[in-house]
Amino acid sequence: MSKQLSCFIPVEEHSGLWSAQSATLRCTAIRLTSGGICLYSPVSGLSPDTLKNIQNLGEVKILLAPNHYHNKGLKEYLSAFPNAHLCCSSAAKPRLQKITGLEFEDLENLIADLPEGADILEPDGLKTGEIWISARANRQVAWIMADTFSGPKGKPGHVADKVQLLGTFPKFGIADKQFYSTWLKHRVNKESPSLVIPCHGSMIQSPSLAEDLKDALENAL
């Protein structure tokens, strides 16, 4: 695949969500209540076609770094969208500001502008300051996440039915395995997600996804 970011493709059954890829890395666009969009994990490789595509979706209001590792495209996107607010979790902020030299806002503006049915999730037991977005539409729940689960390689828009744990995640992402495992199982049982939109690899959708997520984590830990 090209290292340029693809154009954004609508996520089926989830109005207001779009997905784009550069190789195996994904950026997700989320329609905000105000009419603009939030870009979750901006991925470097903007082309003129992609810029035009993003502008057609709406004004980029928020650039969201989902943890302190996903920072490579932030300066490129701030240059392209200078009026956008750059934000992250409070836990990720110190390292992100040190690595990038950029200033980050907290999540208040994003939380206030999320559409109905969408929420911020902050997993317990991690050391990267990672945040997810849970988006509910038509009784289906999609989890937009960074570095826990991943899908197999696939073309932009591809949806797989098998979930796997990102190989580097247990070592570099988890601070307390028990806390994280307990948190994840609680959230899965509460929300029963049917779609995972990861930053790495294909999206994953399956009738058994909720149980598959718990099994994948349990087997890896």
Side-chain angles (χ1 to χ4, degrees), residues 110-146:
L110 172 59
I111 292 171
D113 209 2
L114 283 175
E116 183 178 358
D119 294 295
I120 292 288
L121 302 182
E122 296 194 56
D124 292 336
L126 300 186
K127 55 187 176 183
T128 59
E130 180 157 329
I131 57 173
W132 302 356
I133 294 180
S134 173
R136 182 181 297 275
N138 302 319
R139 299 183 180 180
Q140 302 292 315
V141 176
W143 277 0
I144 304 165
M145 61 174 64

Side-chain angles (χ1 to χ4, degrees), residues 17-192:
L17 295 182
W18 298 266
S19 168
Q21 284 179 236
S22 173
T24 60
L25 290 177
R26 179 185 316 283
C27 177
T28 302
I30 303 150
R31 171 78 65 208
L32 300 171
T33 301
S34 60
I37 61 171
C38 165
L39 296 179
Y40 180 99
S41 191
V43 174
S44 59
L46 289 172
S47 69
D49 286 344
T50 306
L51 280 171
K52 183 177 180 180
N53 170 242
I54 293 173
Q55 291 164 353
N56 287 337
L57 296 181
E59 180 186 359
V60 176
K61 292 196 170 183
I62 295 177
L63 301 171
L64 174 58
N67 62 31
H68 63 222
Y69 284 123
H70 284 246
N71 59 65
K72 297 297 190 296
L74 297 178
K75 290 182 180 179
E76 180 181 2
Y77 279 70
L78 275 178
S79 177
F81 309 107
N83 295 323
H85 296 272
L86 183 60
C87 71
C88 67
S89 70
S90 57
K93 185 185 293 188
R95 185 169 178 181
L96 276 171
Q97 293 190 157
K98 180 179 180 180
I99 291 172
T100 66
L102 301 171
E103 292 295 322
F104 291 78
E105 299 179 5
D106 292 327
L107 300 172
E108 283 79 2
N109 286 332
L110 172 59
I111 292 171
D113 209 2
L114 283 175
E116 183 178 358
D119 294 295
I120 292 288
L121 302 182
E122 296 194 56
D124 292 336
L126 300 186
K127 55 187 176 183
T128 59
E130 180 157 329
I131 57 173
W132 302 356
I133 294 180
S134 173
R136 182 181 297 275
N138 302 319
R139 299 183 180 180
Q140 302 292 315
V141 176
W143 277 0
I144 304 165
M145 61 174 64
D147 286 345
T148 300
F149 299 102
S150 64
K153 293 180 181 179
K155 295 180 180 179
H158 179 250
V159 180
D161 61 2
K162 300 295 183 183
V163 67
Q164 59 197 33
L165 207 71
L166 187 66
T168 56
F169 175 71
K171 179 178 180 180
F172 295 104
I174 299 178
D176 190 304
K177 293 180 180 180
Q178 187 59 51
F179 276 9
Y180 182 62
S181 179
T182 299
W183 179 88
L184 180 72
K185 291 175 182 177
H186 170 73
R187 296 305 308 192
V188 168
N189 291 336
K190 182 176 180 179
E191 300 193 24
S192 191

